[in-house]
Amino acid sequence: MRITDEQRRHRLAVQHRVGLPCAGRPRVKDVVESVLVLHATDPATVYLSVLARAPGLTRDDVRTAMYERRDLVRVLAMRRTLFVAGRDDVPVIHAGASLGVARRLRTRLLKELATLPTDPVVPDPPAWLADVEREVDAVLRSAAATGSTLTGAQISAAVPALRTALLPTTDKAWDVRRTVTSQTLALLSAEGRIVRTEPRGSWTSRHHAWAPIESWFPDGIPEVPEAEARTRLARRWLEVFGPATRDDLQWWTGWNKTQTRDALAGLDLLEVTLEAGPGVMLPDTDLSDIVRHAAVTPGAALLPALDPTPMGWKHRDWYLGEHRERLFDRMGNIGPTVWWDGRVVGGWTVRPDGAVVHRLLEDVGDDAARAVSAEAERLQGLLDGTGITPSFPTPLDKELRT
């Protein structure tokens, strides 16, 4: 079966709710699960990714889903990246991706403690880490018993060993004294022992607090065998991002070639021909999305930096066109993008005063330009004067901020 780029864009628009009318007032959980996960490196992305796809929802709806109903969970997973996922998907993501990340983090931390100078000296890194883990668990459980969460600074005040510092060994600007607090807490989160909760400050704050995982999963994250989890995660990804190439899946998950091959071997797949090359999709993929889209007037969408849609594939030309250089930073992180009819046509940003400004990078016609402007005005109203500073500014983002 041959599938064109245009057909893939039509499916993307429907499957990812990009620029199409949204019937009723969907649950935040449903919006998140429709794109599998939301990138959460920039906290604002979580909110903006939902609001772009469900105009009837508000920032309060997103906050309630995350921190009151706890339908969503922050996880350190694919490519050692922070995501927000629906509770139902967490066990598979945890076993299929997070545990592999955790092993690498543990190996790295123990190696650094053993080979780098530290203050104070750590004579037995494994024993030191085991003690720290027990103390962190005890401190967080004690706080949770009173309904409290703790920031990294509060945890390290209660567990002084977390303030152990790795000392520089060169005169390089990046080689500085750094405590192991963040590394250790990231490790424990990847192992599924603790979880990031509501940050201190505003909804755009990166200063998350921490709680025991039992605050979200009373019996801990349900266990799934890792090989089975990778196959199930590959299926979920194909449900959302297929048809696609095997390289796309390997890049998105951060697996190696063997893990990717074995995960796909457990699925019944349909081989397809894409304009980018050989691809795969699930036999039950609903290609009627293409037909439904053809009957709907194209719409505009403003997706935030690191939104899961533009970050869903390794090969992006079929929806990105010629705009890569302006919209990505040098590390491969995409900035805010303007979409029309299932493809990227420009970029946008939020200035410090909360003004949403955009620029079209190609001629999309007067109707599309008006629709983009209307979407920018809607988004600006939802921000209510809040400025957003991206973690990874792109060339176009920098231009629009001046």
Side-chain angles (χ1 to χ4, degrees), residues 131-165:
D131 288 341
V132 167
E133 290 172 313
R134 283 192 293 269
E135 291 184 52
V136 171
D137 283 342
V139 166
L140 285 177
R141 290 178 191 281
S142 177
T146 65
S148 300
T149 61
L150 300 176
T151 64
Q154 290 172 318
I155 298 171
S156 65
V159 184
L162 281 174
R163 288 179 280 181
T164 298

Side-chain angles (χ1 to χ4, degrees), residues 273-295:
T273 300
L274 308 174
E275 292 187 35
V280 293
M281 71 179 187
L282 299 172
D284 58 355
T285 298
D286 184 6
L287 294 181
S288 64
D289 287 347
I290 296 171
V291 177
R292 287 199 298 270
H293 177 84

